[in-house]
Amino acid sequence: MTKLIQLIQEIKREYSPISLTFLNQQLRRVQRDKPYAGKTILHNLPLTHETLIKLEVLYAGGAEVLVTSPSFMDVQPGLLHQFVQAGGRWFDDVPEGVQIDICLDCAGELIGKVRPSIGCVEITGTGTNKYTAANIDYPVISVDMSKVKALEAMLGTGEAFVRAFSELTGTTLDGQHFLVMGYGKVGQGIAHHLQPHTSNISVVDKKTEHLALAKEKGLDAINAADKSLVEAAAGKAFCIVTATGIESVVSDNYDARAFLNAQFLANMGGEDEFGAGFPAGRVMCGAKPINFFVDSPTLMHYLDPVFYSHNLGVDLLSFSRLAPGVHAFPDFIANELVAQWQRLHQEGAHI
């Protein structure tokens, strides 16, 4: 464990202390109280430098931590080698024959693979939808169902899309027509970060309140039910980016041929939202979220309060008596975290 903590400490030197404000506060608390002693936690998030910093809290709190990574991201071999050599317990798939107390999940990939004795904490909207639809007999806390997730999904993911798209394509965003499929938290963040570069942004959504908000923001808002309008917009787009959280939403609802005229197709969801109607290789990065193909998929100061909340779900499950089913991360905690983060970073007043 000493080597593992040393590795994490080396990684933390890459980040400014202010970008780790919440995780460092959490670290000091668990070092003192050891609230996770005796618990086995299965941690299923993309293995990155940022998530290793998140794991430090679980180790310091006394947990036995088993680590895997969601299928939508290829693990960096060098980082994985460092992690294992330092003593990290890594599994290519869910370990068999091990009693898991709490799952920390991403995109709902642990559903049906493990039955935690205490419960699960899900970090994404995609996973929250899956857990809600599943007949689970244990409690799940959804970080996505709280305002704190907007810091990552709206601000962090939006910034990450613009940065990743520019880096991976080498093209300018200025004046280009972007079609954003989905105007929830992620879609709103993408559009928000595109607006300094182009005013030619169309968004597609099925919710009336999302369409009204898009119009308020000066965007071209298209009802997802109007197939002809959606396909017409797709035929004129320079780039189409999916952010609905729904697998195969494009192929299942529209004529894929209308979308193939776009120069770039990009997915920002945990699932392949374009689907089988698109030839292999046509969607950027194999239809996986494009920000995971650049360094720092999401900047640390956006992840800091969200990772803090994901970890804090372990405490909430351990000391609350929650009924089976999906529960939102508590609003009173989320709202205070967001207010503290906004004061600290002077950003995100619009969320």
Side-chain angles (χ1 to χ4, degrees), residues 75-297:
V75 179
Q76 300 172 23
L79 180 60
L80 178 57
H81 176 76
Q82 285 183 295
F83 176 68
V84 173
Q85 287 296 110
R89 295 190 64 187
W90 168 261
F91 297 85
D92 291 323
D93 203 350
V94 176
E96 296 182 2
V98 178
Q99 176 60 55
I100 304 298
D101 295 309
I102 292 175
C103 294
L104 295 180
D105 201 4
C106 177
E109 293 207 351
L110 298 180
I111 297 174
K113 295 182 178 181
V114 61
R115 199 280 181 195
S117 64
I118 297 175
C120 177
V121 191
E122 169 59 46
I123 201 169
T124 69
T126 298
T128 298
N129 292 338
K130 289 181 179 179
Y131 277 104
T132 301
N135 185 25
I136 53 173
D137 61 352
Y138 52 88
V140 175
I141 293 175
S142 168
V143 177
D144 187 77
M145 293 170 66
S146 73
K147 192 175 181 180
V148 71
K149 187 61 191 298
L151 299 176
E152 176 198 353
M154 289 181 65
L155 300 179
T157 306
E159 185 281 335
F161 170 77
V162 169
R163 176 165 46 88
F165 183 84
S166 299
E167 182 176 331
L168 294 171
T169 67
T171 61
T172 181
L173 287 71
D174 296 343
Q176 301 286 10
H177 180 203
F178 283 81
L179 176 63
V180 182
M181 302 291 293
Y183 198 62
K185 289 190 288 291
V186 174
Q188 289 173 36
I190 290 170
H192 174 75
H193 281 87
L194 282 172
Q195 283 188 294
H197 303 277
T198 180
S199 60
N200 197 5
I201 304 169
S202 300
V203 300
V204 176
D205 204 282
K206 63 182 180 181
K207 293 185 178 180
T208 303
E209 61 270 29
H210 287 174
L211 295 172
L213 179 61
K215 290 177 182 177
E216 288 179 15
K217 301 291 185 181
L219 306 173
D220 175 34
I222 304 171
N223 193 311
D226 195 328
K227 182 178 177 179
S228 61
L229 279 182
V230 173
E231 292 175 354
K236 297 183 292 184
F238 164 74
C239 173
I240 302 169
V241 53
T242 50
T244 68
I246 302 171
E247 185 175 7
S248 193
V249 66
V250 177
S251 291
D252 290 350
N253 293 280
Y254 308 102
D255 186 343
R257 292 173 295 182
F259 290 71
L260 292 172
N261 290 327
Q263 187 170 343
F264 296 101
L265 304 175
N267 178 43
M268 288 297 287
E271 307 285 353
D272 175 7
E273 299 187 17
F274 284 94
F278 293 81
R282 184 62 180 85
V283 182
M284 292 176 64
C285 303
K288 296 178 180 180
I290 69 169
N291 57 314
F292 285 101
F293 290 79
V294 297
D295 291 337
S296 297

Side-chain angles (χ1 to χ4, degrees), residues 300-311:
M300 190 67 217
H301 71 290
Y302 296 121
L303 292 172
D304 181 34
V306 180
F307 281 0
Y308 171 98
S309 300
H310 202 219
N311 286 345

